Amino acid sequence: MMESLRNILSLESLVHPAAITTLSLLVVSLFLYWCGTRGFADLKKLNVPHIPKPVPFLGNFLEVRKYNGMHLLCLDYVKKYGKVFAICLGAKPSLVVADPELLKLILIKDFPNFRDRYIFQFPGAPFNKNVFHSQGNSWKRIRNILTPTFSAGKMKLMVPLMEKSCDTLMEKLEKIADSGESVDMLDWFSQLTFEVILSTAFGVDANIQMGENTEMLQKAQAIFRIPLIVRQIERLPFGTLLFSVLGAIFGNQPTYFLGIVDEIIKTRRQQGLMGRKDLLQLMMTAKDETTVEGVSRLTDEEIVAQSVFFLLAGYETSSNTLSFTAYFLATNPDVQEKLRADIKDAMESNTDISLYDLTHSIEYLDCVIKESQRMCPPGVQATRECSEDYDLNGIHIPAGTEILIPIYALHHDPDAWQNPETFDPERFRGSSKDAIHAFQFLPFGAGPRNCIGMRFALMEIKIALVKILLRYKFVQSPETQVPLIIHPGGSLSARDGVRVRVETLV
């Protein structure tokens, strides 16, 4: 009896509330640690160098913070660890590939295995159905339907709309030219490109440059001002929920624009499809006429998603490229004078061709824009997702692995570019151009999933620059920040704007 009693007392001690609490905490802690580190085991499987030991759940996020952006981290780590290495953004490893030959395999040769982007999806939002975020066969269908919309012939139809907005900008420049006043060209170009995309995409005369409808522009700007590291939060456990909460606080949800575009489409349907040749009309026509792989047309929800994406991405990347180009021209007056001379020569020797064809015939203009995009690419990185286990030159990549393409690091690689921090448009013509590896310069990506709006963006940028440089020049002033402080948000932008003076040509 006494022995049984001792056994009972011993059992009671094991189930004492304090012991149960301690044991529970230990079990929970071990489980959480496992959840936060289980992906780290895949680092060794990749058989490539990887950056300092990741922290549970956070991975290497603290490293990103030290460098003030993924673009600078990747640039430094390519030098330290080589052109292929692993990094953990959260609890899951990513393979960073800065080798152009390997990128050729990923983006072209073996594209079917890397077709989808590894990208954040807005929870339950129709915005996910745009061509950038969509996945698998859905992406392929949407891309095939949209591709004819961005043909050279269709783009030419939009030149008059672009010219109209550029003429408004010219009127504004005339008022401040030769005044000695510095103007923030990033702000002015943002207004221009937002107005252009509203006009060419939706047929809306928003008069953004004249101070009307500024709320739309402010909400669009808020989306891109959020640091990229905040956007990476969705990689963390419960990150999607947390990102949604932060998005609501920072105004990072595209819901506002989805509602606006939906109303525009309803109004357009009531008025009929006749009228202006804009992107919306072309997409609605594609909806009515196109059948791709047995699935006909774009749904109204898909049209809204494409429209909002083009609105947001199109305005931001083009305005940044224009403002960076203005900065480089102001700080490199010899380049600006050479470009202006080439524009004038083209105008004098091609008096009977369209503005579209004229702008695309000026080789040095193309060189200047490319060098600006090399120095400050519209997107600092791109992603792909490995859909099936894959061996890449001895590297075993498990299915589901993110491939991170560090575009900024590719554009600043000293092995590929002589004096990479020097602005030199001559890189992009003659023998220097021939020496550039096709996958070392990726401002619009590459392969079947490259930027569908590339032709549109370049047309807008070239038309604006040609019109401005025929009458004015950008001049560095005491207010010009040299070098520019870069903000690594949704795309690279000048944190404090691009302040220069504008002078009339004599």
Side-chain angles (χ1 to χ4, degrees), residues 199-214:
S199 176
T200 56
F202 312 118
V204 174
D205 293 319
N207 295 318
I208 299 290
Q209 296 185 87
M210 303 308 294
E212 300 178 23
N213 300 299
T214 55

Side-chain angles (χ1 to χ4, degrees), residues 107-359:
L107 297 174
I108 301 289
K109 184 176 181 293
D110 296 315
F111 171 77
N113 199 44
F114 299 95
R115 182 169 65 174
D116 292 336
R117 288 191 172 95
Y118 189 97
I119 195 168
F120 170 71
Q121 300 283 321
F122 290 88
F127 184 70
N128 294 339
K129 297 184 178 181
N130 70 70
V131 69
F132 186 84
H133 287 80
S134 57
Q135 309 278 46
N137 290 331
S138 177
W139 163 79
K140 185 177 181 181
R141 180 180 66 85
I142 293 172
R143 176 83 184 209
N144 286 342
I145 292 173
L146 290 177
T147 295
T149 300
F150 289 89
S151 67
K154 298 290 178 62
M155 292 298 98
K156 288 182 180 180
L157 297 175
M158 299 174 197
V159 170
L161 301 177
M162 291 183 178
E163 281 197 84
K164 181 180 178 182
S165 289
C166 286
D167 289 342
T168 301
L169 175 61
M170 295 295 285
E171 293 173 6
K172 292 175 63 178
L173 290 172
E174 184 178 8
K175 293 177 181 178
I176 59 95
D178 307 317
S179 67
E181 176 186 352
S182 291
V183 61
D184 182 1
M185 290 309 302
L186 174 57
D187 182 38
W188 281 25
F189 281 136
S190 294
Q191 296 174 31
L192 168 71
T193 58
F194 200 72
E195 183 177 286
V196 165
I197 199 71
L198 283 171
S199 176
T200 56
F202 312 118
V204 174
D205 293 319
N207 295 318
I208 299 290
Q209 296 185 87
M210 303 308 294
E212 300 178 23
N213 300 299
T214 55
E215 181 186 10
M216 284 193 289
L217 178 58
Q218 291 168 357
K219 287 187 177 294
Q221 289 172 333
I223 290 176
F224 289 94
R225 283 175 182 157
I226 298 177
L228 189 60
I229 191 171
V230 175
R231 296 170 180 273
Q232 303 284 4
I233 285 176
E234 56 90 15
R235 298 169 180 270
L236 305 177
F238 309 108
T240 300
L241 176 60
L242 180 58
F243 187 87
S244 298
V245 173
L246 289 175
I249 295 173
F250 285 104
N252 192 38
Q253 297 289 351
T255 308
Y256 170 82
F257 294 100
L258 291 169
I260 289 176
V261 172
D262 191 47
E263 286 300 315
I264 291 173
I265 290 176
K266 288 178 181 177
T267 301
R268 182 69 64 88
R269 290 206 182 284
Q270 293 172 357
Q271 296 175 350
L273 293 177
M274 301 302 293
R276 298 171 63 146
K277 300 293 185 180
D278 52 43
L279 288 175
L280 179 58
Q281 179 177 334
L282 293 173
M283 284 191 290
M284 293 173 73
T285 302
K287 176 186 187 302
D288 292 338
E289 297 177 353
T290 307
T291 299
V292 179
E293 295 187 352
V295 182
S296 66
R297 310 163 186 152
L298 293 172
T299 66
D300 280 354
E301 196 172 60
E302 287 171 341
I303 293 175
V304 171
Q306 315 317 315
S307 300
V308 172
F309 174 71
F310 295 146
L311 173 65
L312 296 176
Y315 115 81
E316 170 76 1
T317 54
S318 295
S319 62
N320 285 336
T321 297
L322 278 166
S323 62
F324 283 130
T325 303
Y327 167 79
F328 289 123
L329 292 176
T331 53
N332 296 272
D334 54 330
V335 172
Q336 184 170 189
E337 288 307 311
K338 182 174 181 54
L339 175 57
R340 182 175 294 105
D342 282 12
I343 292 173
K344 287 184 176 179
D345 287 345
M347 291 283 289
E348 293 171 359
S349 28
N350 298 281
T351 57
D352 57 346
I353 66 174
S354 67
L355 179 60
Y356 176 90
D357 292 326
L358 175 70
T359 58

